[in-house]
Amino acid sequence: MSNSRARWTALGLVAVAAIGLSVLWLRWSERPEDGGAAEREQVEEPAGPSAEFPRPPSISEELKSDEPTAETARVELPRDPNTVGPRKTHAKVELICALAGTEVDPKEVRIQVLADSDARVIDERAPDAVFATLGPQSYRVADVTPLLIGVGRQPTKLRVVAQAPRCVAFTDVAPNLSAADLASPSLIRLSAKVKFDCPWFVRGRIVAPCPPAEVRVFTSSMSGLAWGYPSPVLDWKPDEQGRFELPMQRTGRTLLTFRSDRSQTTRREFEINGRDDVELGDVELERGAAVSGQLLAAGRPLANADVALVPDESLSIAASLEGARDFWEGYLSGHSILRRALSDLGLIATSGGTDAPIRIVHTDSDGRFECGSLRVGKHWMVVLSASGQSTWIAPASFSAPAQDFVHEFDATRVEFSFGDAQGQPGIRRVTYSLDVRMPDDERVRLATEATGFGVVNALVQPGSLLELHACDQDVLIPVGYSTEPIVKFVSPCTKGSGNGK
């Protein structure tokens, strides 16, 4: 009887166990198959290390793989635009856009950014594009995060398209961002420069006593109430008949200066209004007076010197400096030595005066020069430099045209050499400044630089007072009328010493 009761008890336990398993199976089979990760976490709890259905890793968790992280740890983020933006689980990527080239109205510019696109104009229907907005400091920024997240692979380029009413431009930017970069909670900024090329054109025809290709053109724009410094037009290419077409990238008042070595300077002023091209018609250059000769100073050829040839007339402070080298393109107002010399000659007008050009010629190793673009009449020669020497030489007059004349300037050579505390010469690097002190106590700065050879040379007219600032000392040198050079030793000095004030 006891054995029979035990068997029935065992059968009952088996039946209960079977019913329990059936209920568990039915609950599992009724589980929705398309439930989200959050739902799965609420329904199923992991049973331990041997759980049959582990949870998928979240974005912030590190994926375990033997493959390189850059290839396998792909950051999958939502495509829904409502979820795009700075999040704790990924970076925000901004593209800072700058404009260059032709002047455009910033308020009329639109900038679109697309991924892996070859678009050349803005595509209003592009589904995967973002637009730049104007930032608080007048720069344009596009939030390109939507182009870099939730995609199967990162784009190899971002196409930036900028569009204005009369201009369209584009450029490409390589993001070069890894999955790890995008997974970090940070702000990543890329940059791009879009260059517009839709200029206004100035057209005309050169008429000159030389081939049109020999004519050089310089441009200046109005800055406030004065003209800016002229710069050479690099894309100047007239045809054999002298016809030209110059692209202009900026609006406003513009000045073109036409020069050649055999003609007088001609200028044309006009306005770029932002709508129309400009027609100048014929630009006639008159033949210039020629002059050539040899210059000497202190008994030697004035070699490798820059000499200003100034017309003998009242000049305004805005008179231009014109030389064969771009270094001398500028205005009288920016050159203190020349301005003081012409002031002493009474050639600078306190008001009014002409803007007649001042030619800058360069002598060769024998002190010779030539120039074929002067006006007929009296001129002055003002020496500005000579073989790297600081110069202050009294101007000399001549008349154009003139051929092969010889002139020797009255000048004295002055040499400053620097030594150490023991009186030994050879200090290689000394910072210094050299002035001429005028009778009215004005100082005209001749040079402020550093000598690499421990020696400073100058050519100065007799009767001048030189003032040297070097090695924390002020050295005054009166320049007399002796033909012997003046040599002054300055000590003690250390390498790189001097106040240069």
Side-chain angles (χ1 to χ4, degrees):
M1 186 68 178
S2 60
N3 291 335
S4 175
R5 184 180 294 117
R7 284 197 301 268
W8 281 107
T9 301
L11 289 174
L13 292 175
V14 171
V16 171
I19 293 173
L21 290 175
S22 299
V23 172
L24 289 175
W25 182 85
L26 288 174
R27 291 184 62 186
W28 179 259
S29 63
E30 292 175 356
R31 173 179 173 272
E33 294 183 358
D34 58 347
E39 296 173 338
R40 289 196 296 270
E41 290 179 3
Q42 293 176 3
V43 173
E44 60 183 280
E45 293 292 334
S50 60
E52 186 177 356
F53 300 100
R55 288 180 299 164
S58 65
I59 295 173
S60 61
E61 292 178 342
E62 181 180 359
L63 297 181
K64 303 300 182 180
S65 173
D66 294 331
E67 297 294 329
T69 303
E71 298 180 5
T72 60
R74 182 165 62 87
V75 177
E76 283 287 355
L77 295 175
R79 294 175 182 268
D80 184 356
N82 295 325
T83 64
V84 168
R87 298 166 61 95
K88 294 182 179 180
T89 53
H90 70 275
K92 180 181 180 181
V93 184
E94 292 182 343
L95 179 62
I96 309 299
C97 304
L99 304 179
T102 308
E103 176 186 334
V104 294
D105 186 348
K107 298 180 181 179
E108 297 181 343
V109 177
R110 297 183 68 201
I111 297 179
Q112 184 183 52
V113 185
L114 304 98
D116 284 333
S117 171
D118 293 325
R120 293 173 177 263
V121 295
I122 286 180
D123 184 0
E124 299 287 355
R125 297 175 297 177
D128 56 346
V130 296
F131 284 88
T133 59
L134 193 61
Q137 297 179 350
S138 299
Y139 61 83
R140 291 163 181 77
V141 56
D143 182 359
V144 297
T145 312
L147 305 180
L148 303 174
I149 64 175
V151 295
R153 64 174 181 83
Q154 296 300 324
T156 59
K157 71 176 181 181
L158 299 178
R159 170 59 60 96
V160 183
V161 182
Q163 188 167 307
R166 62 182 297 272
C167 296
V168 177
F170 62 90
T171 190
D172 291 329
V173 177
N176 295 327
L177 298 174
S178 66
D181 294 330
L182 294 176
S184 61
S186 61
L187 174 63
I188 300 174
R189 281 181 170 164
L190 309 175
S191 62
K193 178 179 288 186
V194 186
K195 184 177 182 180
F196 288 113
D197 187 17
C198 51
W200 302 272
F201 289 95
V202 177
R203 302 181 183 90
R205 184 173 73 97
I206 291 292
V207 180
C210 63
E214 295 182 8
V215 177
R216 299 186 300 277
V217 184
F218 297 80
T219 180
S220 306
S221 58
M222 183 65 72
S223 177
L225 299 177
W227 291 108
Y229 277 84
S231 58
V233 177
L234 301 179
D235 49 1
W236 165 249
K237 294 180 180 179
D239 62 18
E240 294 181 355
Q241 287 72 42
R243 292 187 293 267
F244 63 87
E245 185 178 70
L246 291 178
M248 295 285 130
Q249 305 289 359
R250 295 290 180 267
T251 60
R253 299 299 300 170
T254 305
L255 179 68
L256 289 182
T257 303
F258 301 86
R259 302 201 327 251
S260 79
D261 293 336
R262 288 187 275 174
S263 64
Q264 298 181 37
T265 296
T266 297
R267 296 187 178 93
R268 289 295 183 90
E269 183 180 337
F270 51 88
E271 176 89 17
I272 299 292
N273 59 20
R275 300 182 304 275
D276 308 313
D277 294 341
V278 176
E279 303 292 339
L280 293 181
D282 288 348
V283 180
E284 299 185 8
L285 278 68
E286 298 182 12
R287 183 178 295 277
V291 60
S292 63
Q294 184 183 31
L295 303 180
L296 309 171
R300 301 180 185 177
L302 192 63
N304 302 315
D306 287 309
V307 182
L309 307 181
V310 186
D312 187 25
E313 58 184 273
S314 181
L315 297 170
S316 77
I317 202 70
S320 61
L321 308 181
E322 301 178 351
R325 300 178 298 168
D326 292 345
F327 175 78
W328 280 114
E329 305 309 323
Y331 294 99
L332 174 58
S333 58
H335 202 288
S336 59
I337 295 178
L338 181 58
R339 190 170 65 246
R340 175 68 198 216
L342 298 185
S343 178
D344 290 344
L345 292 173
L347 296 181
I348 295 183
T350 55
S351 62
T354 68
D355 292 337
I358 298 174
R359 294 288 295 170
I360 309 295
V361 297
H362 190 72
T363 64
D364 62 16
S365 58
D366 294 326
R368 301 195 62 85
F369 78 98
E370 61 180 18
C371 180
S373 58
L374 300 180
R375 299 180 184 181
V376 174
K378 182 180 178 180
H379 290 70
W380 291 89
M381 295 184 296
V382 181
V383 180
L384 304 177
S385 68
S387 297
Q389 303 173 87
S390 302
T391 56
W392 182 255
I393 302 177
S397 64
F398 70 96
S399 295
Q403 297 295 322
D404 295 325
F405 70 90
V406 178
H407 177 81
E408 182 169 1
F409 290 95
D410 187 9
T412 300
R413 296 185 179 276
V414 181
E415 177 184 299
F416 298 94
S417 59
F418 304 100
D420 58 21
Q422 288 72 40
Q424 297 297 317
I427 297 296
R428 295 300 180 188
R429 182 111 180 138
V430 174
T431 302
Y432 73 94
S433 65
L434 186 63
D435 300 333
V436 173
R437 183 183 292 184
M438 308 304 296
D440 56 5
D441 208 33
E442 178 189 357
R443 288 173 173 80
V444 178
R445 180 59 50 88
L446 299 186
T448 299
E449 52 190 317
T451 173
F453 303 97
V455 176
V456 173
N457 291 294
L459 275 173
V460 184
Q461 66 187 46
S464 301
L465 181 62
L466 281 182
E467 186 172 3
L468 176 74
H469 306 276
C471 306
D472 296 322
Q473 303 174 53
D474 294 337
V475 181
L476 294 178
I477 298 291
V479 180
Y481 289 84
S482 172
T483 58
E484 296 294 326
I486 299 174
V487 179
K488 179 65 177 179
F489 187 75
V490 182
S491 175
C493 296
T494 59
K495 185 177 181 181
S497 65
N499 51 23
K501 65 182 180 180

